[in-house]
Amino acid sequence: VLRGIEARKILFKRPLLMPSGDFAVETAIHLRPIKEGSGNYSFRIFSQAEGEEWHENCSGLVSTYYVDGQNYPNDYDWESDASLYSMIRKRATRKLTPRTFYKFFDKKMNLQYGPLHQNVSECVAGVREGHGKITIPDTKAVMPSQFEYTHLIHPATLDSIFHMQALGY
């Protein structure tokens, strides 16, 4: 039984650009074990638009923790994280509407997100930190034949988690 996933040392290299019209973008995630059986992996995310070369979008480290696993951090680590979150909530106090937040992406970074990818529903900014809430979209409802592959965490949700990093800027 999976107890937790931790992503760290994430490096964003290039945004995933979605072309307009009937063009598609293929994505690939490469996972490489750091040490066999440890539950620790390095990852790299690539994308390729039709007729273009592959480009690396993101890289980092990810760890999986299972209920019966030996590599799970002790409870003190989680209590420390909860305490840090409480302090961030006290310091970060500038509330933004989600609409204003996503205008920032368009104006400052020239990134336009469609409705299914604007999932940060509460935004509170601070100096080099912030916090918010994410709404999980019902992407299956808009897929052809309402079919969607199973996933541990939906890419649109993961993308929104990354969006929240902008609350610190």
Side-chain angles (χ1 to χ4, degrees), residues 4-166:
I5 298 173
E6 178 184 32
R8 59 194 184 285
K9 296 187 180 179
I10 299 170
L11 177 61
F12 295 99
K13 297 178 181 176
R14 177 186 169 116
L16 176 60
L17 303 174
M18 304 300 291
S20 59
D22 292 334
F23 296 100
V25 175
E26 185 175 353
T27 58
I29 299 176
H30 294 202
L31 281 174
R32 178 171 291 158
I34 293 173
K35 180 181 174 189
E36 195 65 37
S38 70
N40 298 306
Y41 304 87
S42 64
F43 73 87
R44 294 169 68 193
I45 300 174
F46 297 88
S47 65
Q48 179 187 41
E50 288 184 36
E52 292 187 17
E53 298 290 321
W54 282 95
H55 296 283
E56 186 173 359
N57 302 89
C58 180
S59 64
L61 302 173
V62 66
S63 299
T64 54
Y65 301 107
Y66 293 90
V67 170
D68 59 351
Q70 298 298 317
N71 67 338
Y72 191 72
N74 63 36
D75 289 336
Y76 174 76
D77 293 331
W78 294 108
E79 289 174 15
S80 175
D81 288 345
S83 175
L84 175 61
Y85 178 61
S86 178
M87 289 187 295
I88 290 170
R89 288 179 58 100
K90 289 177 184 172
R91 291 188 302 248
T93 58
R94 184 170 176 236
K95 292 186 179 186
L96 303 168
T97 66
R99 181 180 173 143
T100 300
F101 178 66
Y102 280 103
K103 277 186 180 179
F104 165 80
F105 280 86
D106 188 11
K107 185 176 182 179
K108 299 290 185 184
M109 295 182 272
N110 197 27
L111 298 172
Q112 296 87 33
Y113 288 95
L116 287 175
H117 295 276
Q118 294 183 19
N119 300 314
V120 177
S121 55
E122 185 178 302
C123 316
V124 184
V127 177
R128 298 182 62 190
E129 61 189 6
H131 63 92
K133 289 185 182 177
I134 294 173
T135 302
I136 299 173
D138 183 7
T139 54
K140 187 175 181 180
V142 298
M143 297 300 287
S145 302
Q146 285 71 53
F147 174 80
E148 193 168 70
Y149 287 104
T150 57
H151 44 267
L152 193 56
I153 183 167
H154 192 279
T157 303
L158 183 60
D159 196 36
S160 297
I161 292 169
F162 295 145
H163 294 174
M164 289 183 34
Q165 290 185 33

